[in-house]
Amino acid sequence: MALSDLNPVERNEEGIAAVLGILKQQFGERFQTGEAIRGQHAHTTTYIPTQAPDGVVFVESTAEVQEIVRTCAAHRVPVIAFGVGSSLEGHTNAPGGGISIDTSRMNRILSVNPQDLDCTVEPGVTREDLNRHLRDTGLFFPIDPGANASLGGMAATRASGTNAVRYGTMRENVLSLTAVMADGEAVTTGKRAKKSSAGYDLTRLLVGSEGTLGIITSLTLRLQGIPQAISGGVCPFPTLEAACNTVIATIQMGIPVARIELVNALQMRAMKNYSKLDYPESPCLFVEFHGSDAGVAEQAETFGMIAEENGGGPFLWTSVAEERTKLWKARHDAYWSSLTLRPGAKGLSTDVCVPISRLAECVTETEADIAEMGLIAPIVGHAGDGNFHVLVLMDVDNPKEIALAEKFVGRLNMRAIAMEGTCTGEHGIGQGKVGFLRHELGHGVDVMRTIKQALDPLNIMNPGKILPGAG
């Protein structure tokens, strides 16, 4: 994605001025226009320039979101939802200015239904907050994108993470939601039933829509029972291909692996230095199994044999919680450990996803690309889904390095698409991947634009995101 590909959105200065006055009067101190707080609500974790909103409202109810959206619609002013700001592709930027709706104060857990394995929460609840609340019920919410993201933001970007190979993504785990649409009306997309064939699937339409169709104000989520036993460990491999082939064989054999994460040799070097792990500096798989005591032991032993057949091992596994926590803390800190490989540099985090049968080929070709371009770019992956991430370390003030990183990301995205994969497995399109969506979906983009125009004819809902050309 070149910076020139960012969708321009025309500012409506007169409308913005009117809305700022109205919201200040309505919300008082909960409406902020200071430069620092506006910048915080548009920050990006890549080199994409910050495009700050004109004001930030800290909302506390669905009714308040409706009030703001109606005001903005009347004056044709953009609205951008904000959770905790952990998204990676410029989702919270305001290219045409407008109002950021901060949902962090909508953080109530509205209900938990242990017998039905579900709960209903407001969008500002984070995944860690929810799991702390659920601990005494014997249940947990499994989607773990690494960051302590808000659940509304996770639904909006269709997040997944390390547990997705067993428990699915947000797409499978949101039973229904309530969202405020562009006309200010609140829509509830379903009930608590585990399945329904009643009409269009509005839940799935809004999950992954990145705030471009509506602003999520509550979610009903599927929960899981906390496993009786958990085992896990790290297995080294001589090559990335051997590690990927082990993943493929494990999945094809139907072993119910809960997590199977790939790190390449460079990433392992960073993790050893940062998290003080004592493993070989080689490609490794971080693996975890959930089930009964006997079941997780049998699964770990079977995985160890598969790894050995592919030249890997030894697979050192444990069921001791403290030891497993250290391993997964190191995996979740992969971003921070990577930054130590080039002090002072910043990271451009990108992800793709391919059919699992093409994973070894895609990762191997990507490593060759990194070497050819002379980049420092470690690889980690949710390998059980065919999804992997590359963190390109670069000087964001150097135009040549930015151009080289863009070239690499473009080649990676097109490689994944050519392998019948996707340019983003879980980060979303936002601004950063707008230029690749038509390559992936063709005329499907025009269908998306038709939906966008029907539901948001004034183009006020997070404009400039997802759709190439006209927001």
Side-chain angles (χ1 to χ4, degrees):
M1 191 280 309
L3 294 182
S4 58
D5 290 337
L6 295 180
N7 281 342
V9 179
E10 185 176 350
R11 284 182 61 86
N12 175 5
E13 299 290 359
E14 183 178 346
I16 290 170
V19 167
L20 292 179
I22 293 168
L23 295 183
K24 183 62 179 176
Q25 186 175 28
Q26 290 178 328
F27 290 93
E29 291 303 309
R30 287 196 286 130
F31 179 63
Q32 297 289 321
T33 56
E35 183 178 351
I37 200 163
R38 291 189 296 111
Q40 291 166 5
H41 282 73
H43 74 89
T44 67
T45 49
T46 71
Y47 67 100
I48 298 173
T50 293
Q51 298 168 309
D54 294 283
V56 179
V57 189
F58 293 86
V59 293
E60 297 178 354
S61 68
T62 297
E64 288 186 348
V65 177
Q66 290 180 275
E67 189 176 353
I68 295 164
V69 170
R70 285 173 179 148
T71 297
C72 288
H75 295 275
R76 298 198 171 201
V77 171
V79 288
I80 303 98
F82 186 92
V84 298
S86 59
S87 57
L88 294 167
E89 295 290 352
H91 296 89
T92 62
N93 262 345
I99 303 302
S100 174
I101 297 181
D102 186 312
T103 62
S104 60
R105 297 188 186 184
M106 294 184 68
N107 58 2
R108 294 180 300 161
I109 297 170
L110 301 174
S111 66
V112 177
N113 306 290
Q115 292 178 314
D116 295 320
L117 298 176
D118 69 45
C119 68
T120 300
V121 303
E122 290 184 324
V125 177
T126 68
R127 64 174 187 86
E128 290 182 5
D129 289 340
L130 178 58
N131 279 325
R132 277 192 291 269
H133 183 86
L134 293 172
R135 192 172 296 149
D136 292 341
T137 68
L139 303 174
F140 79 114
F141 182 68
I143 309 305
D144 174 11
N148 187 24
S150 69
L151 291 161
M154 288 170 61
T157 56
R158 202 184 300 128
S160 52
T162 59
N163 282 321
V165 64
R166 174 157 181 164
Y167 298 106
T169 72
M170 288 300 284
R171 180 182 63 189
E172 290 78 34
N173 286 278
V174 177
L175 293 173
S176 68
L177 56 84
T178 298
V180 174
M181 309 304 284
D183 60 359
E185 292 297 319
V187 172
T188 299
T189 62
K191 302 297 185 181
R192 289 198 300 117
K194 289 298 186 287
K195 62 180 181 179
S196 171
S197 58
Y200 297 144
D201 193 343
L202 298 181
T203 305
R204 301 301 174 274
L205 178 63
L206 288 166
V207 171
S209 64
E210 302 181 15
T212 63
L213 300 179
I215 296 176
I216 296 169
T217 59
S218 74
L219 307 103
T220 297
L221 304 171
R222 190 187 304 271
L223 303 177
Q224 302 287 336
I226 295 174
Q228 174 191 338
I230 300 175
S231 71
V234 176
C235 186
F237 289 85
T239 65
L240 269 177
E241 184 175 13
C244 291
N245 287 336
T246 298
V247 174
I248 293 168
T250 300
I251 300 299
Q252 289 178 340
M253 284 187 66
I255 298 173
V257 62
R259 293 171 165 173
I260 186 161
E261 297 287 294
L262 172 71
V263 302
N264 73 342
L266 182 60
Q267 181 66 70
M268 200 65 197
R269 179 197 304 170
M271 293 169 77
K272 282 166 61 71
N273 292 338
Y274 185 84
S275 300
K276 311 305 179 187
L277 296 184
D278 186 22
Y279 292 98
E281 197 172 294
S282 68
C284 289
L285 291 176
F286 285 53
V287 190
E288 187 169 277
F289 305 97
H290 295 176
S292 65
D293 290 323
V296 297
E298 180 182 5
Q299 291 159 22
E301 290 169 4
T302 303
F303 171 81
M305 289 188 287
I306 296 171
E308 186 177 1
E309 290 174 0
N310 284 286
F315 175 45
L316 304 176
W317 63 276
T318 180
S319 57
V320 178
E322 292 78 10
E323 295 177 12
R324 289 187 293 99
T325 298
K326 180 181 179 181
L327 295 178
W328 291 107
K329 177 70 163 59
R331 169 60 185 89
H332 285 320
D333 285 345
Y335 174 84
W336 303 109
S337 68
S338 296
L339 296 180
T340 66
L341 295 170
R342 187 182 173 185
K346 292 188 177 180
L348 186 162
S349 181
T350 190
D351 84 309
V352 296
C353 188
V354 295
I356 193 170
S357 62
R358 306 295 298 273
L359 178 63
E361 180 185 3
C362 193
V363 173
T364 301
E365 289 186 15
T366 300
E367 269 209 326
D369 235 10
I370 291 168
E372 179 187 328
M373 294 186 177
L375 297 171
I376 301 175
I379 294 175
V380 300
H382 311 311
D385 303 310
N387 180 204
F388 67 94
H389 306 251
V390 185
L391 188 73
V392 183
L393 298 173
M394 63 180 182
D395 177 357
V396 295
D397 295 321
N398 186 328
K400 290 184 178 179
E401 291 200 19
I402 289 177
L404 188 63
E406 288 177 342
K407 180 180 178 181
F408 167 77
V409 171
R411 287 170 61 164
L412 174 60
N413 290 339
M414 296 305 291
R415 178 181 303 117
I417 292 169
M419 292 182 178
E420 298 183 273
T422 174
C423 66
T424 175
E426 58 187 19
H427 289 182
I429 295 295
Q431 293 175 303
K433 299 213 173 187
V434 163
F436 300 96
L437 192 61
R438 188 170 291 279
H439 290 289
E440 183 172 326
L441 297 177
H443 180 57
V445 172
D446 301 315
V447 177
M448 291 182 186
R449 181 169 285 112
T450 299
I451 294 171
K452 167 74 168 171
Q453 290 172 344
L455 296 181
D456 181 19
L458 301 179
N459 193 28
I460 65 167
M461 305 299 284
N462 206 12
K465 318 297 169 58
I466 298 184
L467 298 172

